[in-house]
Amino acid sequence: MARRSGRVLRSHPRLLAFPLLGGLSGAVFIATLLGGLYVMGPLLQDPGPAMYATLFVAYLLETFVASFFTAALVAATRTVFNGDEPSIGGALADAWHRKLPLLAWSLVAAVIGVVIRLIESENNIVTQIVAGIFAVAWSVMTFFIIPVIVFRDPSVTEMFKQSARTFKDTWGESIGALGTIDVVTLLLVLAGIVLGGLTFVVTTGLGTGQLLATLLIGGTAVSVGLLVGKALSGIARTALYLYATQNTAPKRFDDTDFSKI
């Protein structure tokens, strides 16, 4: 799955645009959030309504931004699987067309995020275990939530039911494929760190230029590794969703026996 997802990405490198746009938007959001937290610092020192309301808004916006660009990636991947060349503008338009289901999903995810945080705030081992189990179950149930939103026009309850059902039908393939992609991503990130280290050694004696070169080359390499991993994950998840719902391997995966993954 990882190798075939990589083959799709090599043939259509513009798929990297969506995790890149998502990452840049996320960085802007985090910078804005940190600025807001600095201004509102006194109100957020103690747990209370103000703090949890702020967490809710942060979770909501963060989830919507991430989900929007993931939906665009899934839409572009669907275009590839249909044998056509994906368009960045067209995929973004497809994601925007699904803005209401994405917003509904983001609202629910924000509520669940606050609930998990509330459970974790209880300082005992039992609540920590409960919060961990709840978080894992939530991740499993929503594993295919974005493909469901992109491929269907679901109600709020239907999107969760369909996502959970799809994961149940492909749990072995999903865990295996995404686990392998996580390993690939880790190796790419480690390679970027090594490249940054080599740059630091080679540029010894350049003073400030040494630090700038290390951050530029190493940081760029690490960022590319993360972007590639995000793109591979979206491609593989879309392929798995199509297999689970249509019982047919998508284009470029037609030599894969999903039942044996």
Side-chain angles (χ1 to χ4, degrees), residues 186-232:
L186 176 61
L187 292 175
L188 291 173
V189 169
L190 289 176
I193 294 173
V194 171
L195 183 59
L198 291 175
T199 303
F200 184 82
V201 173
V202 171
T203 57
T204 299
L206 294 182
T208 304
Q210 179 186 24
L211 180 60
L212 291 176
T214 300
L215 291 176
L216 178 62
I217 296 176
T220 299
V222 169
S223 298
V224 170
L226 292 173
L227 291 177
V228 169
K230 186 72 174 177
L232 292 177

Side-chain angles (χ1 to χ4, degrees), residues 4-86:
R4 285 160 176 76
S5 297
R7 188 167 59 190
V8 172
L9 185 58
R10 285 194 302 272
S11 300
H12 302 278
R14 67 178 58 185
L15 294 175
L16 285 171
F18 304 107
L20 175 60
L21 291 172
L24 292 175
S25 300
V28 171
F29 168 72
I30 290 174
T32 304
L33 177 63
L34 291 176
L37 291 176
Y38 178 78
V39 173
M40 299 177 61
L43 296 175
L44 304 177
Q45 290 180 352
D46 299 317
M51 187 190 78
Y52 288 111
T54 302
L55 280 177
F56 174 79
V57 174
Y59 288 148
L60 171 62
L61 295 177
E62 178 186 13
T63 303
F64 182 80
V65 170
S67 298
F68 177 81
F69 289 103
T70 301
L73 173 60
V74 171
T77 304
R78 176 181 60 184
T79 300
V80 171
F81 289 159
N82 288 335
D84 299 320
E85 184 66 26

Side-chain angles (χ1 to χ4, degrees), residues 44-229:
L44 304 177
Q45 290 180 352
D46 299 317
M51 187 190 78
Y52 288 111
T54 302
L55 280 177
F56 174 79
V57 174
Y59 288 148
L60 171 62
L61 295 177
E62 178 186 13
T63 303
F64 182 80
V65 170
S67 298
F68 177 81
F69 289 103
T70 301
L73 173 60
V74 171
T77 304
R78 176 181 60 184
T79 300
V80 171
F81 289 159
N82 288 335
D84 299 320
E85 184 66 26
S87 162
I88 294 175
L92 292 174
D94 286 342
W96 183 249
H97 184 65
R98 292 286 187 263
K99 59 185 178 295
L100 292 181
L102 289 172
L103 179 59
W105 147 244
S106 301
L107 284 167
V108 175
V111 171
I112 297 299
V114 172
V115 169
I116 292 175
R117 183 61 181 268
L118 281 168
I119 296 174
E120 291 176 339
S121 65
E122 298 294 329
N123 192 21
N124 65 75
I125 187 64
V126 175
T127 55
Q128 297 296 320
I129 293 174
V130 170
I133 295 174
F134 188 23
V136 171
W138 175 250
S139 298
V140 167
M141 186 173 71
T142 60
F143 190 82
F144 286 102
I145 199 83
I146 302 302
V148 170
I149 290 174
V150 171
F151 280 85
R152 303 168 66 91
D153 188 16
S155 64
V156 175
T157 55
E158 183 185 1
M159 68 175 69
F160 290 102
K161 289 179 180 179
Q162 180 64 31
S163 176
R165 186 181 305 116
T166 304
F167 185 87
K168 179 181 177 182
D169 292 340
T170 63
W171 69 270
E173 299 94 324
S174 300
I175 293 174
L178 275 300
T180 303
I181 289 173
D182 286 343
V183 172
V184 172
T185 304
L186 176 61
L187 292 175
L188 291 173
V189 169
L190 289 176
I193 294 173
V194 171
L195 183 59
L198 291 175
T199 303
F200 184 82
V201 173
V202 171
T203 57
T204 299
L206 294 182
T208 304
Q210 179 186 24
L211 180 60
L212 291 176
T214 300
L215 291 176
L216 178 62
I217 296 176
T220 299
V222 169
S223 298
V224 170
L226 292 173
L227 291 177
V228 169

